[in-house]
Amino acid sequence: MATRAKKAEVNRNARANYVLGLLGGVALSPPLASKEAMQYYARAAAEGNPDAQYQLAKLLVEGQTLSTNNRAALKWLKKAVEKDHAASQHLLGVMYLKGQGVTRDAQRALELFRQAAISGNAEAEYDLGCALMDGIAGEKDDYQALRWFRLAGAQGHVKSQYRVGYALAHGAGCEIDLQQASTWLRKAAVNGDPKGQYEFGLLFIHPDYPKRNEEEAFRWIRLSAIAGFAPAQYQLALFYQAGEGTLASYEEAFTWARRAAAQGEEKALLLLASLYRFGAGTSANITAAYAIASYLSSAENPNATALLQTLEPQIAVSDRARVQKMLSSTKSALELIENIAALG
């Protein structure tokens, strides 16, 4: 009985803190299940609290994609936007960009992103940077995109930190500056961003980077590969194949090339075909190499076409027929990798 009373008191205190948070202009995470949370937010939203209106809209669009939920979310977001609520401006912009519950309007999305970004919303700064980098709504400006990425990155936005580092490493909207790139990419890498880890790792084998270190390159790219980033998995396979930054191992090279290939990484598919062809890290399997080359040549990959021409004289007519039959029902690189095992 005492335990039940104590639990009830804890719930009352949690709810009280939540309500006080709303009254103070900061929407705290509700202590209850989402259905009850929605009820709390709905009450506060009806009273005109923009934080609650945003949180309620966010629950509606994240919970389900029903049109009724989207319409309700739009209603609350528009009310919050009227009060210049930055997070609501950003979320409404996302909905306009996706055409979620509203007719897609990239120009309106860009306007909302800009409004929220000017208010310092990091997510909006990032999405505005992406929109300007990609030329959404006809506005392409790499320089301005980098500016917004810098602002978001300075707030700790990890994807923006990666974007700034990548831009500085490759000269997108700025001059190449590998030292500055290293600073930004390290932030993203340390914060666990797989793309940041990959690009940071690549810096250590860049010919113009003064701190060349193959072991460091291997370490960061391996972290990215473990996280599932296909280009990193392919690069890791190359490291193992060449013994760069680690001990050479064709078995490891085969394992990582296969993982990257299953995600459709074309360079990894070609490497895998080569490993099958020469029996490096796996049993020699000319038929498997031929199947991969055939799969890639249909996508007009010139290197695959050249490999296919080299392998054709070594493949029996019956094996060619088996490969073509298999490929006729293969819809993805992952299916290709799985089906190759059955070729023998």
Side-chain angles (χ1 to χ4, degrees):
M1 197 70 174
T3 302
R4 186 178 300 173
K6 186 175 181 180
K7 185 176 180 181
E9 183 182 354
V10 169
N11 283 338
R12 281 196 299 273
N13 290 337
R15 293 172 189 174
N17 289 336
Y18 166 64
V19 173
L20 286 172
L22 283 177
L23 292 174
V26 179
L28 303 178
S29 298
L32 304 173
S34 59
K35 184 177 180 181
E36 292 179 301
M38 196 170 288
Q39 292 174 348
Y40 274 103
Y41 284 133
R43 289 178 195 138
E47 292 171 2
N49 185 287
D51 287 309
Q53 290 166 346
Y54 164 72
Q55 293 290 353
L56 179 57
K58 191 177 178 183
L59 279 175
L60 287 166
V61 298
E62 289 181 352
Q64 298 182 48
T65 55
L66 296 175
S67 58
T68 52
N69 284 359
N70 286 329
R71 286 197 297 271
L74 284 166
K75 180 188 78 170
W76 292 116
L77 285 175
K78 287 178 179 179
K79 287 180 181 293
V81 165
E82 289 174 0
K83 299 170 186 175
D84 296 323
H85 190 264
S88 296
Q89 290 168 334
H90 170 250
L91 183 54
L92 186 58
V94 171
M95 294 183 75
Y96 270 109
L97 189 61
K98 292 181 177 179
Q100 185 176 350
V102 67
T103 302
R104 187 179 186 277
D105 188 338
Q107 187 62 53
R108 178 60 177 149
L110 209 60
E111 292 170 2
L112 287 161
F113 288 159
R114 189 170 276 116
Q115 290 170 15
I118 289 170
S119 297
N121 183 279
E123 289 291 339
E125 290 168 345
Y126 172 73
D127 281 339
L128 178 58
C130 290
L132 292 171
M133 190 71 78
D134 297 337
I136 290 175
E139 289 192 43
K140 183 170 175 58
D141 190 330
D142 291 351
Y143 176 80
Q144 286 298 322
L146 179 57
R147 173 175 171 266
W148 290 112
F149 288 141
R150 282 181 183 275
L151 289 170
Q155 294 189 62
H157 192 272
V158 179
K159 289 183 179 179
S160 295
Q161 293 169 344
Y162 157 70
R163 287 277 197 161
V164 176
Y166 182 91
L168 288 163
H170 297 273
C174 61
E175 295 294 325
I176 291 176
D177 187 332
L178 297 183
Q179 290 290 354
Q180 283 293 315
S182 174
T183 298
W184 284 97
L185 288 173
R186 187 180 188 282
K187 290 178 181 180
V190 168
N191 283 317
D193 183 75
K195 292 182 179 179
Q197 291 166 339
Y198 171 66
E199 287 292 336
F200 187 49
L202 288 181
L203 275 182
F204 288 102
I205 54 173
H206 193 291
D208 297 326
Y209 188 58
K211 298 179 181 179
R212 183 179 177 89
N213 187 320
E214 292 179 359
E215 288 77 15
E216 278 295 287
F218 174 83
R219 183 167 78 89
W220 287 106
I221 288 174
R222 182 174 179 273
L223 286 173
S224 179
I226 290 171
F229 190 49
Q233 292 172 337
Y234 165 67
Q235 184 62 52
L236 193 62
L238 293 181
F239 282 161
Y240 276 116
Q241 183 185 38
E244 189 173 358
T246 187
L247 293 174
S249 171
Y250 280 114
E251 288 75 15
E252 288 288 343
F254 176 82
T255 295
W256 288 105
R258 193 173 187 275
R259 291 181 184 179
Q263 295 193 62
E265 187 75 12
E266 289 197 4
K267 291 180 180 179
L269 281 162
L270 277 171
L271 175 57
L272 191 64
S274 178
L275 294 172
Y276 272 124
R277 179 187 178 190
F278 296 107
T282 185
S283 299
N285 191 333
I286 297 296
T287 306
Y290 177 80
I292 294 172
S294 296
Y295 176 83
L296 287 174
S297 67
S298 65
E300 299 182 357
N301 184 305
N303 292 324
T305 300
L307 177 59
L308 188 64
Q309 292 172 350
T310 301
L311 294 174
E312 275 183 341
Q314 305 174 43
I315 300 292
V317 174
S318 58
D319 287 334
R320 288 188 203 176
R322 284 199 304 139
V323 167
Q324 295 308 318
K325 183 179 180 181
M326 181 268 286
L327 291 177
S328 66
S329 61
T330 298
K331 298 177 181 178
S332 67
L334 177 58
E335 284 187 22
L336 173 67
I337 299 305
E338 291 173 345
N339 291 339
I340 279 175
L343 288 176

